[in-house]
Amino acid sequence: MKKLLCLVVSVTLLCGLDCALASEETGYDFIEGFSEGLAAARQNNMWGFINEEGETVVPFIYREVSAFSEGLAAVRADSHYGYIDKNGNVVIPMLYTSAEPFNEGLAIVHSEGKAGAINKLGETVVPFEYDYISNFSEGYAVVEKDGLYNFAGKDGRLLFSSAKLQYAMPFGSGVAFVRNSLGEQYFINGSGSQVFRTSSEVFEPFAEGYAIAAKGGKYFIMSTNGLNVTYSLYDMAEDGEDGFIYLTSGSRSGFFDKSTKKVTISSYYEMISPPSEGLMLAVKDGMYGFVDDKLTVVLPLKYAYAESFREGLALAVRSELYGFIDKSGKTAIPFKFEEAESFNEGLSIVRTGKYYGCIDREGNFVIPAEYSYIQGFKDGVSVARKNGRYVVLHNPLTYNKKVLAIPSVAVLVVDGAKIDIEAFSIGGSNYFKLRDIAYILKDSIKRFNILYNESSGSFTLKPNEPYTPNGNEMTFTGISYPFRATASEVTVYFDNQEYILTSYKIGDSYFYKLRDIARLVGFSVEWDADRRAISVDTAKQYSAE
């Protein structure tokens, strides 16, 4: 495995801003993107961490650092790596020659040329005897020793008593690809039992119930029972990790929607993008426009370039200048910028002349165009460069709207079974990860599956379908202190009905009010004073407080 290196944030548009507030006055040599409320920063070739106000919270004493993950960050002081918490305390000593971020409560580390896995107490869980260990996924990590593969669980025990596999992939959607010593290929489940055989080439683990496979030089979309779900073959297929698989057939391209199981490829258009805010971007003879779900033109294909609608507006290019149109095709923001990004968190990063700034949806500059770099905003925070120094920026439209989120470990009693689960108290209500709720209900009469559409940011809850885990269930964010979180309105589909729910992005997960999910799915939520716990009864219908 490679040594852990500081992550260099990639952004789609290099721009600039040093605006809306927030860094130490002199700035920093470099700032990474924020993770779990903190960002790695470099000063005089040494690394530390800063908070969203741009204040130093971990001093600049490390030669290398990783982003925080599950409350801990890997750091290197001299020749070896260890882990610190968000207060800068060394919680796992500098003992390792390389160290990976924590994932599913465990981290892959190296010592004396061998890989092992440790928990957050620094205890060895998977012994240091392997040449390779993958990150844990759905409770297992792929391990390799002397060219033979196996799977190690979170307790360190091997899935198979002896390693005789020539190759193995991590688990995804409940199954994992393996190849045995005879060259036979098949998928196994979490108990090690064979689910189905395959003679196809498989490239990546399953994600959201699908994988890309190939046979005879052609690609197809495989389901977790080994079937070609579209009954078609394609010249190319690529998982966009946004709920869609992108397809190419001849000179045409399109996509497979994992939530609807529908393929969209036009014999007329050269390219069709997934729907966003009700319209699909289409290309014909190199010109861009928009069509509906029946591929009927809604906005003429007359732009040299365009991107999908975001926050009600679409970025487009005319006469080599960038502007924005609305869904009626009218120019909403004039075509006058040399560069621009699609709207995100109410802002678009644009360039006029040499420098970048940010405009709102009315086209007004809310961050002046005086920066040589601007990173896209995330949760109201960004990083920018001005005069060669990096600073933290706040989105003036959203940052001050953040509310206090107080972390806790909630006690739930679900159909009589006691469960400890991470929660955040916001405005007097308890908020939980949506996937945690699905996971604890997976064996109940109110089970549901979750499909996420990244292009629209919406969730579809499938009632009475087996829940497909993604490996992050019942894991903790590692946030142990009150912090400010931003609310967002999220579209959730349940039983073919559309609902708008308030959620909070905390760490890399979205948290929802438990009662909002109970109202949709139909289970009761009550306070059990005797047990000092939240009681969830799936046999009873939801009733308001």
Side-chain angles (χ1 to χ4, degrees), residues 242-247 252-257 262-266 269-284 287-295 301 305-310 314-315 453 455-456:
D242 56 359
F244 298 94
I245 295 175
Y246 293 85
L247 307 169
R252 308 297 170 181
S253 64
F255 58 90
F256 171 73
D257 187 333
K262 179 184 176 182
V263 171
T264 300
I265 290 184
S266 169
Y269 298 108
E270 295 153 17
M271 187 274 288
I272 297 289
S273 71
S276 178
E277 300 184 9
L279 294 175
M280 295 189 290
L281 185 67
V283 181
K284 175 68 175 175
M287 301 302 288
Y288 291 70
F290 293 87
V291 299
D292 60 19
D293 58 358
K294 295 181 176 58
L295 303 184
L301 283 71
Y305 175 75
E307 294 183 1
S308 295
F309 274 90
R310 296 287 186 270
L315 175 71
N453 186 324
S455 66
S456 64

Side-chain angles (χ1 to χ4, degrees), residues 511-526:
F511 283 70
Y512 293 80
K513 187 186 294 186
L514 180 59
R515 285 189 170 274
D516 285 348
I517 304 303
R519 175 169 52 87
L520 261 62
V521 178
F523 58 85
S524 74
V525 176
E526 298 175 352

